[in-house]
Amino acid sequence: MGTSPSQMEPGPPKIVEAALTILLPPQCRESVLGDLHERFVSRRQYIGNAILTVPLVILSQVRRVTDAGLLLLEAMALYLSFCVSARFCNGGIFLGAPNVYLRVALPVLAALIALMLADGYTRAEHRAIKGPAAAFSAIWLQFVMTAHSADWAVPVQVVLFASCAGIGTVVALRAVRPGQQPDHWRGLRRFAWMQSKSPM
Amino acid sequence: MARPDSLGQFEQLVLTAILNLRDQAYGVTIHAKVEELAKPKAVSLGAVYVTLDRLEDKGLISSWLSDPTPERGGRSKRCYRLEALGERALQDSAVTAQRIWETVAEAWGKETGLWGHRRPKWNPARPK
């Protein structure tokens, strides 16, 4: 037997919709929220659908906007800046600590994840600044989280010098190689420019 | 990067759904059609979105936002259309699938009939 309209749940829970609005990248927010709303049957089904859908949408968006070549250059620049700072800050005392090259890899990893996520959530024209800003925050967040760990802490001078030098290099790399947009966007823009130039 | 003409099975299903739905091809309808084509396999909406993004990056389909509608909470649909490259890729895949089916039917023998409902069980060690 069907459910009468009075028994049917009115719509998706507002709080879940608000959370999804924050979680979904702006490029696909409107269409994904609309599709989930259209498929709404019950609150439980809606939440289940959202849990299965949203992570894949985020990963797909990150994959679309990530320039693998640029990311590799950024990883190398950040890691090199940490290694150089470890060598020169405090007379290189930190280099004698155990697992030093693994320790400095952690903030680099945090910065790269932040860069990829920030790119996924940011429009192409803002990526040159917002991505590096997120990476800078991630390095310092990672520093605060591991500051009390004897095995993973990195001296503040090393983090300070490396984050400034590394993020500066990332900004410079993005200015030189701004290839952040997928090919089909570039294609569409080129097509639009050709249309505006044509006499028709 | 994958060549635009090399399609996976799921990509073929999504392209077929878009071709079939024409002007009504958007997330929910494409998912429903793909689920119908892929029966009895269950298909998640997220997997359909990922594939649509990949196909768009390959230039096989294009998308645009429609006007908002009340049944979607006042939100727009992202509609999809097959591009010429996508049609060609799908046609190539269909020709290959047809060739595979003809070879399989020939190997199984004509006693069951090409479209007969008494299809023999899959057995790689089947004697000739």
Side-chain angles (χ1 to χ4, degrees), chain A residues 30 35 38-39 60 63, chain B residues 26 31 49 53 57 72:
Chain A
E30 178 90 356
D35 285 351
E38 196 177 325
R39 283 164 56 92
S60 178
R63 181 198 62 77
Chain B
Y26 65 99
H31 173 254
Y49 285 133
D53 285 348
D57 290 344
R72 296 170 56 83

Side-chain angles (χ1 to χ4, degrees), chain B residues 14-124:
Chain B
V14 172
L15 285 179
T16 309
I18 296 171
L19 180 74
N20 183 258
L21 290 162
R22 294 180 187 276
D23 295 341
Q24 290 303 311
Y26 65 99
V28 175
T29 54
I30 293 170
H31 173 254
K33 193 75 194 168
V34 168
E35 209 160 41
E36 187 189 318
L37 292 169
K39 262 180 195 170
K41 253 192 225 171
V43 175
S44 78
L45 185 61
V48 172
Y49 285 133
V50 171
T51 309
L52 285 168
D53 285 348
R54 198 170 51 239
L55 291 171
E56 199 171 7
D57 290 344
K58 286 182 180 179
L60 304 183
I61 58 173
S62 56
S63 72
W64 70 97
L65 282 174
S66 72
D67 292 331
T69 53
E71 72 270 15
R72 296 170 56 83
R75 295 191 179 88
S76 312
K77 293 172 188 169
R78 181 163 288 281
C79 296
Y80 292 90
R81 182 180 51 214
L82 216 58
E83 290 296 314
L85 197 62
E87 278 183 31
R88 213 175 61 207
L90 189 59
Q91 202 173 17
D92 289 350
S93 298
V95 168
T96 308
Q98 175 72 26
R99 218 176 293 141
I100 291 169
W101 172 246
E102 281 167 8
T103 311
V104 168
E106 197 183 308
W108 277 346
K110 289 183 180 173
E111 73 275 12
T112 52
L114 197 61
W115 303 105
H117 43 77
R118 199 172 68 82
R119 205 175 66 178
K121 265 187 173 178
W122 169 249
N123 179 6

Side-chain angles (χ1 to χ4, degrees), chain A residues 3-45:
Chain A
T3 314
S4 70
S6 59
Q7 288 173 310
M8 279 176 67
E9 294 184 54
K14 293 284 173 214
I15 190 156
V16 180
E17 271 200 325
L20 293 181
T21 307
I22 295 167
L23 282 173
L24 284 165
Q27 293 88 335
C28 51
R29 187 178 291 153
E30 178 90 356
S31 57
V32 174
L33 278 174
D35 285 351
L36 288 173
H37 192 286
E38 196 177 325
R39 283 164 56 92
F40 173 81
V41 177
S42 66
R43 284 171 183 229
R44 182 179 291 220
Q45 172 268 349

Side-chain angles (χ1 to χ4, degrees), chain A residues 37 74 87 104 112 114 133 160 174 187:
Chain A
H37 192 286
E74 288 169 343
R87 169 72 185 82
V104 296
L112 290 177
L160 185 65
R174 289 189 169 215

